[in-house]
């Protein structure tokens, strides 16, 4: 259940193992897949996304991650779960 940090402006999509989610980004967007929230500048942004949080969670082993546009993507894995 990673934490994604997306930096850029415009519409952004990410695909993890063939399952996608799309976001509207204005500078920076944080996606917390464990808590199932999206926020930017301390404001909840759940209304500005389409898709399901579980679709972009990492699985054990190899993961294929694809992203769109001219954005920076930072991924912080959550290794607490076994």
């Amino acid at each position: 259940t990673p934490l994604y940090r997306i930096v850029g402006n415009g519409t952004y999509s990410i695909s993890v193992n063939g399952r996608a989610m799309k976001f509207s980004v204005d500078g920076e967007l944080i996606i917390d897949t464990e808590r199932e929230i999206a926020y930017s500048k301390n404001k909840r942004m759940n209304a500005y996304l389409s898709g399901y949080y579980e679709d972009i969670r990492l699985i054990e082993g190899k993961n294929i991650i694809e992203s769109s546009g001219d954005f920076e993507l930072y991924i912080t894995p959550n290794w607490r779960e076994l």
Side-chain angles (χ1 to χ4, degrees), residues 36-53:
E36 296 191 352
I37 60 170
Y39 54 93
S40 177
K41 302 173 191 159
N42 295 324
K43 178 182 174 187
R44 287 185 67 128
M45 302 294 288
N46 290 23
Y48 301 94
L49 59 88
S50 66
Y52 302 98
Y53 290 97

Side-chain angles (χ1 to χ4, degrees), residues 59-77:
I59 60 171
E60 185 177 339
K62 183 178 179 180
N63 289 272
I64 298 170
I65 300 170
E66 299 176 284
S67 63
S68 69
D70 190 24
F71 292 82
E72 295 176 38
L73 172 64
Y74 303 91
I75 302 171
T76 304

Side-chain angles (χ1 to χ4, degrees), residues 2-73:
L3 183 78
Y4 295 95
R5 178 175 169 246
I6 303 155
V7 179
N9 289 293
T11 302
Y12 175 80
S13 65
I14 183 171
S15 172
V16 178
N17 302 316
R19 300 176 77 181
M21 210 171 172
K22 188 178 282 189
F23 318 97
S24 179
V25 182
D26 182 19
E28 178 182 66
L29 181 67
I30 306 296
I31 307 295
D32 186 335
T33 60
E34 181 178 19
R35 295 172 44 211
E36 296 191 352
I37 60 170
Y39 54 93
S40 177
K41 302 173 191 159
N42 295 324
K43 178 182 174 187
R44 287 185 67 128
M45 302 294 288
N46 290 23
Y48 301 94
L49 59 88
S50 66
Y52 302 98
Y53 290 97
E54 59 266 15
D55 287 346
I56 60 170
R57 289 184 178 149
L58 302 177
I59 60 171
E60 185 177 339
K62 183 178 179 180
N63 289 272
I64 298 170
I65 300 170
E66 299 176 284
S67 63
S68 69
D70 190 24
F71 292 82
E72 295 176 38
L73 172 64

